[in-house]
Amino acid sequence: MSELLDLVGIFVFALTGALMGVRKRLDVVGMLVLSEITALGGGVLRDLVLNVPPAAFQSLGYILTPVLATVIVFFWHPHVTKVLPAIMVLDAAGLGLFCAVGTEKALTYGLNPLHACVLGVMTAVGGGILRDILAGEIPTLLYDRQLYAVPAMVGAALRAVLFEVHLQGWVTTLAAATVAFLLRIAAMRRGWRAPLAKGVRPQD
């Protein structure tokens, strides 16, 4: 079940990477690179820090799912763009899932709660950062419009707190993921964003 949820999150993240490739007028190879790096980059970085074999290289499904997403976007990107609002909802679900799962894995490997939260957030947003850098964009994490990193931080922190009070298992992971998901959805609908420095006006 957990691997299936992982693959769903990977597929949605991969779609956003491939769509970035379309917007940047990249060829199919460039689209595939952005798709793979968006979907798998955060988890690979987490596992490298934990000094364990990256999960992305333990199953063919992790590599092939972004290939499928790239093929879909390559042939039908106008249709995919039309359902982008639904994709963004799924993206929020992937964000919540990855931040919770990443934090749990880090805690399981003995990291303290703070460091585990950092790795949980990295799992959720690391691929997007790498995608933006490769595409020549300022990473959206640096001007967190509509709160992307903050929900991941909240979800990771909640998962760490539950772990510390000895509440473990998939139910607690799902609870933390759900909180991050709902916060992200609320931010998208209400236009919430992280505060700027005092006296600095937001750009339109």
Side-chain angles (χ1 to χ4, degrees):
M1 183 64 176
S2 61
E3 183 172 345
L4 176 61
L5 291 174
D6 271 353
L7 291 177
V8 171
I10 286 170
F11 179 73
V12 175
F13 280 7
L15 285 177
T16 67
L19 285 171
M20 173 70 82
V22 172
R23 289 196 296 273
K24 290 293 183 176
R25 304 180 66 83
L26 302 182
D27 62 22
V28 66
V29 175
M31 290 173 60
L32 180 59
V33 169
L34 290 187
S35 179
E36 294 278 359
I37 204 73
T38 306
L40 305 177
V44 170
L45 289 174
R46 175 203 62 213
D47 291 343
L48 290 176
V49 172
L50 293 175
N51 197 28
V52 298
F57 297 101
Q58 303 300 305
S59 169
L60 276 177
Y62 285 83
I63 299 295
L64 294 179
T65 298
V67 175
L68 174 61
T70 302
V71 170
I72 291 172
V73 173
F74 182 82
F75 287 105
W76 299 289
H77 61 87
H79 303 288
V80 175
T81 302
K82 288 180 181 178
V83 297
L84 192 58
I87 291 175
M88 294 308 297
V89 171
L90 294 175
D91 180 82
L95 177 81
L97 177 67
F98 281 15
C99 75
V101 170
T103 303
E104 179 183 32
K105 185 169 185 177
L107 290 165
T108 301
Y109 276 86
L111 268 67
N112 66 55
L114 179 58
H115 290 156
C117 288
V118 171
L119 280 191
V121 174
M122 179 189 295
T123 305
V125 306
I129 293 174
L130 294 174
R131 174 201 64 209
D132 291 343
I133 291 173
L134 286 177
E137 297 280 333
I138 299 174
T140 53
L141 181 70
L142 300 183
Y143 55 95
D144 200 12
R145 288 189 183 277
Q146 296 185 338
L147 295 190
Y148 199 80
V150 171
M153 294 175 188
V154 172
L158 177 57
R159 185 65 192 92
V161 168
L162 293 174
F163 188 92
E164 287 299 297
V165 298
H166 307 292
L167 292 175
Q168 301 182 28
W170 69 268
V171 174
T172 53
T173 301
L174 182 60
T178 300
V179 169
F181 166 73
L182 292 176
L183 180 56
R184 169 65 176 149
I185 292 297
M188 284 170 29
R189 292 187 175 180
R190 297 179 177 273
W192 294 341
R193 61 164 296 168
L196 299 175
K198 184 177 180 181
V200 177
R201 291 186 175 185
Q203 293 181 347
D204 295 329

